[in-house]
Structures are given as structure tokens and as C-alpha cells.
Amino acid sequence: MKPAITIIYIYIAALVSADSLPLVAAYNESKVDSLCSIIYDPGISYSSKLDMMGQYTSISLYSEYFEKLYPLFDNLLEESRMYSNKEGLFFCYNSLADLYLGVWDRDSADRYLDSAAVYADQVGNALDLALYHRIRAQYIQRYFPDRMPEAVSDYQKSLSYYDKAGTTGKEDEIAIILCNLTMDAFLRNDSAYVHKNILKIKELKDHHNSPIIEFYFMDAMASLNGVYYRTSFDDRFLDSTIYYTGRCLDLYEKRLLPKAFDYLGVDLYTMVAETMSMKKNADITVIDSLLSIAKEKNIDSVGMARVYQTKARTFFDRNMIDSAEVMALKAQEYLETGYKNNYYSLVKRNIDILRDIYSVKGDYKKAIEYDDLWTKKDEEMRANEIKELELQFEVDAKDSELKKLYSDRLYQENRHQMYILICALLCLTTSFLILLIRSMKRNLNGHIALIDAEREEAKLKLKLKEEQTVKMQLEKYEVLSDFHLKEMELIGKTKDLEQLYQHKEMLDKQVELFRQKVEAYEVSVDKEEQKNSDVQYVIIEDLRRLITKQMPGDSRYLENLENLENLKKSYIDTLCEKSKGNLSFSYLKYCICFAIGMGISDVAECFNIEQSSVHMIRYRLKKKFVLGNDDDLGLFLQEVVPD
């Protein structure tokens, strides 16, 4: 009886000191304020915000600050979308799912968990993955208890990710995971795994002064001793169960736990009352006072049902059959509001109590009715399980089909992209070869033209030398003629002198005529040399020939020729200066074409090339003149020589 009295004193002390320990609330408030100051600080970069926010996990433990936390993470989520940061999106979806899990908003938690699942395979941050699997496991455990193996798998994945990333600062979360795995091991009667997990939680408790870790350790120890009592019926284990449950209740009443643990109030008080009722000669007044406190802390019909059911079992064990019947019927009223998988065991216990009550009272008809009621509930439960399994099978089948379709779509897209890439490479290679051949042909033609020009120049020089020789001979003949005339004058041969004068006049005429021819020839030679040395003249003549040859019947023919004639004589020099001498004859021709306003099709027709080649030449000219993609090449070439 001594441990029970000790527990009562603990309850009284907890109730007295409940309002005297505001330190935890103040700490949590400051922690939430720190989160807000980080997110709303414009001086902190986005990447720094993510790094600092990664240190704050278990957001569900601070659900009382929902109004502050929701816009905070919503703000960070918008920034993550703006930067298309998958790590940030994954972290925000995880945190929001955890937050809604803390306020028991199933639909919102489900929505954000689905959003996080989209990025689960695309991120490599071990801490974020550990958080994701922990939240997912808690969600499954709470709302789909029949899928506990799936939740256990997620808990174990979460632990493995924590092992990779390090557990510093994550001890509370690890304690939560270990406690849930321990509860599952209780159900599977895996005592070795239970002891292993409890030792891990104890090690965390010894090294870290955390009320959350201490609570989960006491809860696990209470459950373990409860199992020992049910197998050995040794009161020492029952006293230990009461002690550890009382320690949990002490932490709860002193408000050392986050507000998210408020929903445990009913469970803790009813658990202590149920455990104390199992003791021989237990004080029913104490049990009733504990259940009254639990009733005041009730948050749903299931909690009320547990309170009345515990009272019914306590009265029944003490042979207070009528009182037990009243309590059990009240519990049944609350349970009739709906049956869910997570408290079918509570329904079964209450029906068993009613059946036992009516059996003791001798009302076997009602006892059989409650027996049949449980059979119906059991069949309903099995039917629901079958439906859920069928639905899960269909979902898995659809998921497999979707994955296969997604894989096929990716394969088709990759194959099409590969075909397109190969075709593009072939086109580029072909275009390059064509351009290379044309360039080689132009270079060869230019080389041949240069050789022809040099040959013609040599012929002209030779002809000039011959003319100069003839001129020298004529000058020599003129000198000789003058000397001969003087000699004839001295001799006095007038007749001969007259003849010589006549002959001289004829020779003078011939010399003058020849001199005029030589001067005309020299002028023509000078013009020819000037033409051959004048690059602009050569290019313009070549363009005039090409336009006349390729576009004689075109309406733009005369306009192009007129613009070509009006081109300034200094255009080529200025153009070469702008390109720093980086233009060949070919590129100079294209520049003049674009400068006089010829279009892509006109240039292609004039030079007998493809329009794609003209586009390539325009692109290369832009690079040579250091122009951007948005700059107009034609406008630039037209404005090279200012007015």
C-alpha cells in the first residue's frame, strides 16, 4: 500500500506546483521567436536560413504556437519555390506536415506529406530524410494502426538516417522513435528488442536533461512492468508500474512538457487509476478522484469512455454490480458515437465488462446480446480491414502501373531526345562540311584570280618596257635628225635641208602621235593598276556582276544596283577598321550586301547558297563586330560610315 500513497502525494504536489513553473513555456516561446527572427530577417540569405532552420526539428512539439509557425514556414516555402530549391521545399513540406500533425489536422498533414514525398527521392540531406520518415511513421501509427509494420519500417529508416547525419541536438526525436518501436515490440512480445530500446532511451536520459526523453523512458518502463505483472501477477511489478506512471504524470502536471502532450492527460490519469484498481484493498476514493481529474481533462468521447470503463471495472472487481452496470453503459454510450480501428480493443473490453455484469446478475439474455454485439463489431472490423487491404492492394497496383508508365514515358522521351540530338548533329555536321567545301572553293577561286592578276600585271609591265624602248629609240632618232639638219645647214645644202625639214615635220608628227599614244597607254595602265589595287572597286564590281547575273529579272535588281553605286568610297576602310582587319574578301562582300539593304533570301540567291548559311554568316559577323544577339547587324553596317 505504501507505493500507492507515495503516488497520491506526487499527484497532490504536481497539482499544487502546476502553475509555478513557467520556465519551459518561456523557453519554448523564445525558441519560436528565434525562428521568426531568422526567417523575417532580410539580412540573412536564403541558404543561411535553411542551414539555421535545420537545427530546429520536432515542430509538432510547439503546436501551441501554430499561429506564429504556420506563416513562418509558409514564407520560407515561397522563397524555396522562388529559388526552385528542392532541399528547401522538402524541408518546408516536412515541417508543415509535422506542425499539422501536432494540431491533429489529418487532412493538412496528409497533403503536406504527399508534397514532401515528391522530393523524397531527389534530395540527399540525411537529416531531412530522417525527419520525413519519422513524421510519416507517426502519421501512419496514429491514423492507420493496422499498418503498424509500415510505420515501424519508417521509424527504422529514420533512425538509420540519424546515424548517418549524427544525433547531436536530435535526442528528443530519437527518444520518440525508440519509444514507439518499443510499444510495437510489446505487442509482438519481443522482449529482447524491448530491453535494447529501453537501454538506449535510458542512455539518452542520463546524458541529456530533457523532460521529453525522461517522459518516454518512464512511459516505456511503466509498460514493461505492466507486461511483467500480467505474466507473473507479482505486486512488485504493479507498484513499479504505478511509480513510473506517476513520474510521467508528475512531468505532465508540472508543465515540463510541450503543450502537444496535453492530449495525454486522460490516458495518464486513467492508466494510474486502472493500475491502482488492480491492487488488493485499493482505496476506491483515490481511484475515483483520479478519474474525476481525467474527466475534467477529457478532449473527446474516447477519453470519456475510458474514464467510465475504468470506473465500471473497479466497481465490478469489488462486487458493486449495479454501479458497475451504470458506468459501463455510460462508457458504451460514448463508444457508440463511432468505431475506429484504433480503439476497437476499448470497445471489446467494455462489451466484456457488460457481458460479465449481466452474467453475474443472471440476465443471460443481455449477456448473449452483448456477446453477439461484439461478434458484429468484430465482423465489422474484419470487413473494414479487408476493405483497407483491398484498397491498399489497388493503390499499390496503381502505383506500380504509374511507375511503369512513368518509366516508359521517360524511356520514350529519352529515345526521342536521342533521335533529335542525332539528327541535329548530322545536320550540323553536314552544314559544316558544306560550308568547309564552299570556303575551300572560294579560297581556291581567290587564289586562281590572284595568279591571273599577277600574270596580267607581268604582261602589262613587259608591254610597258617595250613601249619605253620604242620611245627611247624615237628620241634617239630625233636627236640624230636635229644633228643632221645642222650639218646640212652648215654645208649649205638648202634643198636637202628643206627635205630634211619636211622629213623632220613628218617625224615630229609621228613622234607626237606616238607620244600621245604612249601617254594614253600610260593613263590606261595607271587606271588598270588603280583598279587592281582598289579593293572596294574590285568587290563592288564583283557584286555588280553577281547581282546582274543572278537577279536580272527581280524587282529589287535596280534598287540593289543603285544602293551599291551610292556606297561611300571609304566604306571598306572604315569597315576593316571597325573589325580590326578581321574580315576576308568574302565577309566584306556579305557586309556590303547587308549594308545596302539586301534581305536573307536576296543574299542567298545572289551567292547561290542556302538561307541557313546566310544566317550562319550573320552570326559570325556579329561575333567579329562584338555585337549581342539582340543587336541589328544590318542597322550597324548601315551606320558604320557616319554622314
Side-chain angles (χ1 to χ4, degrees), residues 57-92:
T57 52
S58 296
I59 296 299
S60 57
L61 299 178
Y62 308 99
S63 56
E64 64 266 34
Y65 307 105
F66 177 84
E67 292 182 356
K68 288 185 177 181
L69 290 172
Y70 175 74
L72 181 148
F73 281 103
D74 196 43
N75 190 334
L76 187 61
L77 182 63
E78 289 301 321
E79 283 195 56
S80 301
R81 288 171 179 160
M82 182 176 65
Y83 292 111
S84 299
N85 188 303
K86 294 180 180 179
E87 299 280 351
L89 289 169
F90 186 59
F91 173 76
C92 290

Side-chain angles (χ1 to χ4, degrees), residues 325-579:
E325 180 184 5
V326 173
M327 294 297 106
L329 289 174
K330 284 186 177 181
Q332 190 65 23
E333 288 178 7
Y334 282 106
L335 291 172
E336 287 294 339
T337 57
Y339 297 92
K340 298 180 182 178
N341 292 341
N342 56 344
Y343 60 91
Y344 261 116
S345 58
L346 191 65
V347 175
K348 185 178 187 309
R349 285 203 305 270
N350 202 67
I351 290 175
D352 287 343
I353 292 172
L354 286 169
R355 183 189 59 197
D356 293 342
I357 289 172
Y358 288 117
S359 295
V360 171
K361 292 180 71 173
D363 192 347
Y364 299 109
K365 181 179 179 181
K366 284 191 175 181
I368 294 172
E369 285 178 359
Y370 279 103
D371 232 356
D372 293 340
L373 177 63
W374 170 244
T375 302
K376 291 179 182 178
K377 299 301 179 186
D378 189 51
E379 289 176 354
E380 179 184 342
M381 180 182 69
R382 302 304 175 194
N384 289 336
E385 289 179 354
I386 291 171
K387 286 181 181 179
E388 289 181 359
L389 289 172
E390 289 176 348
L391 181 61
Q392 184 65 31
F393 178 78
E394 291 178 2
V395 169
D396 292 341
K398 293 294 183 184
D399 287 342
S400 300
E401 185 178 353
L402 285 173
K403 288 180 180 178
K404 184 178 179 182
L405 290 172
Y406 180 70
S407 177
D408 291 342
R409 185 173 66 83
L410 286 178
Y411 172 75
Q412 293 293 338
E413 287 180 354
N414 291 335
R415 188 174 68 174
H416 291 158
Q417 291 175 358
M418 187 64 69
Y419 287 158
I420 293 171
L421 181 61
I422 291 172
C423 292
L425 288 174
L426 287 174
C427 291
L428 287 174
T429 305
T430 306
S431 301
F432 177 75
L433 290 174
I434 292 172
L435 290 173
L436 182 62
I437 292 171
R438 289 188 175 182
S439 177
M440 292 175 64
K441 182 180 178 182
R442 291 192 191 95
N443 291 336
L444 183 60
N445 291 335
H447 188 62
I448 293 172
L450 183 61
I451 293 173
D452 291 340
E454 290 176 352
R455 185 174 59 188
E456 292 296 329
E457 185 179 0
K459 287 181 179 180
L460 289 172
K461 286 181 180 180
L462 180 60
K463 190 174 181 180
L464 180 60
K465 286 182 179 180
E466 291 176 353
E467 295 291 339
Q468 288 175 346
T469 303
V470 172
K471 182 178 178 182
M472 288 174 63
Q473 289 178 352
L474 289 173
E475 289 176 351
K476 181 181 178 181
Y477 291 150
E478 184 179 358
V479 171
L480 289 173
S481 176
D482 290 339
F483 179 76
H484 184 66
L485 286 172
K486 288 179 180 180
E487 186 179 3
M488 291 297 289
E489 287 177 356
L490 292 172
I491 297 173
K493 293 182 178 181
T494 305
K495 187 176 181 180
D496 292 338
L497 185 60
E498 290 177 355
Q499 290 178 355
L500 286 173
Y501 273 122
Q502 291 176 359
H503 186 63
K504 179 181 177 296
E505 288 177 358
M506 291 176 62
L507 287 175
D508 287 340
K509 289 180 181 180
Q510 290 178 359
V511 168
E512 181 64 25
L513 183 61
F514 188 76
R515 187 183 61 77
Q516 291 176 358
K517 289 182 178 180
V518 169
E519 288 179 354
Y521 180 74
E522 287 177 350
V523 170
S524 65
V525 168
D526 290 338
K527 287 183 178 180
E528 189 67 28
E529 288 179 354
Q530 184 179 1
K531 289 179 181 179
N532 289 332
S533 61
D534 191 344
V535 175
Q536 180 164 339
Y537 178 81
V538 172
I539 292 174
I540 290 175
E541 285 298 317
D542 194 17
L543 285 174
R544 184 185 293 111
R545 178 181 57 79
L546 288 173
I547 294 172
T548 305
K549 181 180 178 181
Q550 299 294 338
M551 307 169 59
D554 197 294
S555 60
R556 298 180 299 277
Y557 166 70
L558 295 176
E559 182 183 349
N560 292 333
L561 285 179
E562 183 181 354
N563 293 336
L564 188 63
E565 294 296 335
N566 294 333
L567 195 68
K568 292 182 180 292
K569 292 183 178 181
S570 61
Y571 183 80
I572 295 293
D573 295 335
T574 307
L575 198 62
C576 292
E577 182 182 349
K578 287 286 184 179
S579 65

Side-chain angles (χ1 to χ4, degrees), residues 92-277:
C92 290
Y93 285 133
N94 277 339
S95 300
L96 285 168
D98 195 21
L99 182 61
Y100 280 108
L101 202 64
V103 296
W104 292 76
D105 188 340
R106 174 178 174 177
D107 293 335
S108 298
D110 183 43
R111 183 173 67 255
Y112 284 111
L113 264 180
D114 287 343
S115 299
V118 175
Y119 300 96
D121 297 330
Q122 304 177 32
V123 298
N125 190 312
L127 282 177
D128 288 345
L129 289 169
L131 176 64
Y132 167 72
H133 285 289
R134 192 266 296 168
I135 297 170
R136 189 170 183 273
Q138 284 185 298
Y139 175 81
I140 294 171
Q141 183 180 9
R142 180 180 296 176
Y143 298 111
F144 303 98
D146 55 311
R147 290 163 53 187
M148 192 60 192
E150 187 178 347
V152 170
S153 175
D154 278 309
Y155 278 132
Q156 290 172 344
K157 287 180 182 178
S158 182
L159 283 178
S160 67
Y161 280 119
Y162 276 127
D163 290 338
K164 291 179 183 178
T167 59
T168 304
K170 314 298 178 184
E171 292 81 8
D172 289 349
E173 289 200 29
I174 294 172
I176 293 172
I177 295 171
L178 290 173
C179 186
N180 285 309
L181 289 174
T182 304
M183 294 302 106
D184 176 69
F186 279 134
L187 298 175
R188 293 185 286 105
N189 294 321
D190 189 348
S191 57
Y193 192 66
V194 168
H195 280 285
K196 179 181 177 182
N197 286 342
I198 288 178
L199 288 175
K200 288 182 179 179
I201 299 173
K202 184 178 185 302
E203 184 179 354
L204 289 173
K205 182 181 78 69
D206 293 340
H207 289 83
H208 302 281
N209 185 21
S210 170
I212 295 174
I213 299 176
E214 185 175 358
F215 176 85
Y216 280 114
F217 174 72
M218 298 303 169
D219 186 38
M221 290 299 296
S223 299
L224 180 62
N225 282 279
V227 171
Y228 288 158
Y229 174 75
R230 286 191 291 274
T231 55
S232 64
F233 296 102
D234 189 338
D235 283 350
R236 289 177 301 174
F237 295 121
L238 193 61
D239 293 338
S240 296
T241 302
I242 296 172
Y243 170 75
Y244 286 117
T245 308
R247 290 286 301 276
C248 290
L249 192 57
D250 185 37
L251 292 170
Y252 169 81
E253 286 294 349
K254 286 182 178 180
R255 298 184 182 178
L256 296 174
L257 302 172
K259 196 172 181 180
F261 284 71
D262 285 356
Y263 73 94
L264 294 175
V266 177
D267 292 334
L268 290 172
Y269 278 105
T270 53
M271 191 181 300
V272 174
E274 287 175 358
T275 309
M276 290 186 67
S277 68

Side-chain angles (χ1 to χ4, degrees), residues 621-638:
L621 285 172
K622 281 189 175 184
K623 292 295 182 182
K624 289 179 181 292
F625 289 114
V626 194
L627 297 178
N629 292 332
D630 297 332
D631 294 331
D632 191 332
L633 178 64
L635 183 60
F636 170 79
L637 292 173
Q638 290 170 11

